[in-house]
Amino acid sequence: MNIRAAKSAEATESSVYIYSEIKELESLNLSKSELAYVEDSAKDEARNISRINRFPAFLYLVKVSSKKLAKEQFQEKLRMEGAKCFKMLASQKTKVVSVSSLSADENAYYLAEGLALGAYQFLKYFSDKEKRNHGLEEIILQGIGDERVTELQATTNGVYAARNLVNEPLSYLTAVQLAEEASKLGKEKGFKVEVMNKKKIETLKMGGLLAVNRGSIDPPTFSILEYTPENATNEKPLVLVGKGVVYDTGGLSLKPTAGSMDSMKSDMGGAAAVIGAMSAIAEAKLPVKVIGLIPATDNRPGEIAYVPGDVITMYDGSTVEVLNTDAEGRMILADALAYAKKLNPELVIDLATLTGAAAVAIGKFGVVAMGTADQEAMSRLDNSGKEVYERIAQFPFWDEYNDLLKSTIADVKNIGGREGGAITAGKFLERFTDYPWIHLDIAGPAFLGSDDSYRLQGGTGVGVRLLFDFVKSMA
């Protein structure tokens, strides 16, 4: 999807105009019959988008109101209207559309964002992909500055990249291929990627990552993504860590298939978010030093798979009693978080489809957060969550949860039981940090069974826009 700013008034096959009052339509020189049609449609909120045929072009008039809505709710409403506009444009096989607002110019940005994200397609494996292609290729934004348009292009590309990765099946996206995809994006967008192979991981004694990988026929990878702009405003890097379990059977603690294992190609949603965010940050040339860490493997019940009852020595030398091999994400993240100590970070944020408990707690409507970072960092992340409508639900992080992880034969257990499952997973990870840190559990919104406006069925790319906006706030 190409997104660009209009340098001057341009004639396009379709134009979208946002308005809040009928009087704002005067500049469009509507006929009496057209105006009557628009006024009639605007009476019903479900029919708030009017389409007018100005052969050979179409006008789409979108009525929106910010009354009784908080700023973030109004912006989200505009995105959702953009997704609705996309479906109407797709029915006409529109290739190029311009978007402008007859009230506040910035409104066009959010509607275009929803339009662009709603236009995503994953057609790689269809034999009739050309027939299925909706045809929209370009969005032209009126009244929006070049810098903002660049950001929208970058974040859209980042979300598309993350969605593509999540939607890929294990038959293609092994841990090795995930690292290769990150490397390709690095070369394209301008960040460095170092990929550690299994031998190097063994040399580093990353016991958590190696234990999870034991049941697989494919080797693990550990990827380091680094973006270091010359004008970086931070001396210490922001480190992003993404869970890269490219497929999760649960290991010997086998998952049921229906409603569980059948969607587990998405268990690398955290890794996808970090890769997509790095792509967007580098493309937009944000002046912030950022490092991404991606531990990656699949989790299978192979011949030498790790088993419940095993004791694993981790990268930092501590020991973990494994009581459930389906709690594998925290095992590989723990090694990555311990490795992050070497980088002397200002802040570390990890993202993971870590627990069903997080999804049960808040559903698809937000992201669970916890950690040791100060409230100022949490508040900035919360503000970014509101800005992109990937809202943050901060969970308590009391020390008493550590008691649920006590082991009788090792330093810690890898599960704590049913109570506070999302939090005990976070408390497990905390043991491997000694720096300001935020844990984001994206299990609820990372992969959807059906479309939710511009968040489409399959991988949503959640986390990309959130991280981008947070990094922008550091600039």
Side-chain angles (χ1 to χ4, degrees):
M1 178 65 65
N2 184 48
I3 305 171
R4 64 180 176 88
K7 300 303 180 185
S8 59
E10 297 185 37
T12 57
E13 56 188 304
S14 291
S15 299
V16 176
Y17 294 96
I18 307 164
Y19 72 101
S20 57
E21 302 291 342
I22 289 293
K23 63 182 180 181
E24 294 171 351
L25 301 178
E26 292 177 358
S27 61
L28 301 182
N29 297 317
L30 300 180
S31 68
K32 289 184 178 180
S33 60
E34 288 172 338
L35 190 59
Y37 161 65
V38 173
E39 287 181 313
D40 182 60
S41 296
K43 294 175 184 177
D44 182 356
E45 190 169 339
R47 298 170 57 214
N48 66 321
I49 302 179
S50 306
R51 180 166 63 190
I52 296 176
N53 189 346
R54 288 275 185 88
F55 185 82
F58 282 91
L59 302 184
Y60 295 84
L61 310 180
V62 185
K63 183 178 182 181
V64 294
S65 174
S66 61
K67 292 178 181 178
K68 299 180 180 180
L69 293 176
K71 176 187 174 184
E72 66 267 19
Q73 292 174 315
F74 180 59
Q75 290 171 179
E76 181 68 359
K77 182 177 181 179
L78 286 164
R79 294 186 190 100
M80 295 173 73
E81 295 300 334
K84 287 165 61 176
C85 283
F86 162 70
K87 291 183 177 179
M88 299 175 74
L89 293 164
S91 70
Q92 300 291 326
K93 290 288 185 180
T94 301
K95 290 186 177 181
V96 181
V97 61
S98 68
V99 178
S100 57
S101 175
L102 301 176
S103 47
D105 284 341
E106 188 69 3
N107 290 350
Y109 179 95
Y110 297 103
L111 187 139
E113 185 175 34
L115 199 164
L117 296 177
Y120 169 82
Q121 290 182 292
F122 186 70
L123 301 176
K124 179 178 176 180
Y125 295 102
F126 285 109
S127 56
D128 60 345
K129 57 177 65 69
E130 290 302 320
K131 182 179 179 180
R132 291 174 181 268
N133 191 346
H134 53 62
L136 186 60
E137 298 173 355
E138 186 171 60
I139 300 171
I140 303 171
L141 269 169
Q142 308 277 349
I144 304 296
D146 289 343
E147 183 176 345
R148 287 286 279 160
V149 174
T150 296
E151 290 176 1
L152 182 55
Q153 181 72 78
T155 55
T156 298
N157 288 343
V159 171
Y160 275 32
R163 288 178 177 180
N164 285 343
L165 291 171
V166 175
N167 288 332
E168 284 283 6
L170 179 62
S171 55
Y172 175 79
L173 197 72
T174 62
V176 172
Q177 189 61 44
L178 178 64
E180 178 62 26
E181 296 297 321
S183 297
K184 289 178 184 176
L185 272 172
K187 291 176 182 177
E188 180 183 342
K189 303 299 182 181
F191 58 91
K192 297 178 182 178
V193 179
E194 177 189 354
V195 180
M196 297 183 186
N197 60 20
K198 185 176 182 178
K199 185 176 181 180
K200 179 65 174 178
I201 294 167
E202 289 173 336
T203 300
L204 291 173
K205 297 181 180 180
M206 290 187 168
L209 179 53
L210 291 167
V212 177
N213 181 251
R214 278 174 53 182
S216 176
I217 60 172
D218 297 315
T221 57
F222 187 85
S223 299
I224 303 172
L225 291 57
E226 185 170 355
Y227 171 66
T228 308
E230 292 182 0
N231 60 339
T233 57
N234 55 330
E235 293 185 10
K236 295 182 177 181
L238 170 67
V239 177
L240 307 176
V241 182
K243 173 186 170 184
V245 178
V246 292
Y247 193 85
D248 182 21
T249 67
L252 288 176
S253 303
L254 199 64
K255 296 177 183 287
T257 297
S260 185
M261 197 195 302
D262 51 0
S263 62
M264 280 299 102
K265 67 179 184 179
S266 68
D267 211 21
M268 36 61 68
V274 170
I275 294 168
M278 292 292 292
S279 167
I281 291 162
E283 182 175 346
K285 295 181 171 56
L286 296 186
V288 179
K289 182 178 181 179
V290 186
I291 297 174
L293 302 179
I294 309 291
T297 180
D298 58 306
N299 182 29
R300 297 201 194 203
E303 291 182 359
I304 57 170
Y306 76 139
V307 304
D310 276 352
V311 175
I312 305 301
T313 301
M314 307 294 283
Y315 170 74
D316 70 347
S318 65
T319 57
V320 176
E321 180 187 9
V322 176
L323 294 182
N324 189 324
T325 63
D326 194 23
E328 85 299 329
R330 66 199 70 182
M331 298 291 289
I332 73 172
L333 284 173
D335 280 344
L337 290 171
Y339 184 89
K341 296 176 186 179
K342 298 174 55 175
L343 305 175
N344 191 26
E346 176 181 335
L347 173 68
V348 175
I349 302 176
D350 80 74
L351 295 90
T353 50
L354 203 62
T355 66
V360 169
I362 66 169
K364 65 182 180 181
F365 304 106
V367 175
V368 166
M370 62 196 81
T372 61
D374 61 29
Q375 201 54 45
E376 190 273 334
M378 281 286 191
S379 294
R380 283 196 294 115
L381 189 66
D382 183 66
N383 289 336
S384 290
K386 290 175 181 175
E387 175 64 28
V388 303
Y389 221 69
E390 293 179 355
R391 294 166 295 178
I392 300 299
Q394 186 175 351
F395 276 21
F397 211 50
W398 302 316
D399 289 342
E400 287 82 355
Y401 287 104
N402 286 317
D403 295 339
L404 302 177
L405 292 169
K406 288 181 177 178
S407 168
T408 58
I409 66 168
D411 294 330
V412 67
K413 299 186 298 186
N414 79 327
I415 57 169
R418 290 177 58 85
E419 294 181 352
I423 300 171
T424 54
K427 295 303 282 187
F428 176 89
L429 296 177
E430 181 190 17
R431 296 178 63 92
F432 301 89
T433 70
D434 66 356
Y435 40 70
W437 160 73
I438 297 173
H439 165 56
L440 299 179
D441 195 327
I442 59 172
F447 192 86
L448 301 181
S450 59
D451 290 355
D452 180 22
S453 186
Y454 61 88
R455 297 177 176 89
L456 305 180
Q457 181 179 17
T460 63
V462 67
V464 173
R465 294 160 55 242
L466 173 66
L467 291 174
F468 181 91
D469 192 83
F470 181 79
V471 171
K472 190 173 75 167
S473 75
M474 297 175 63

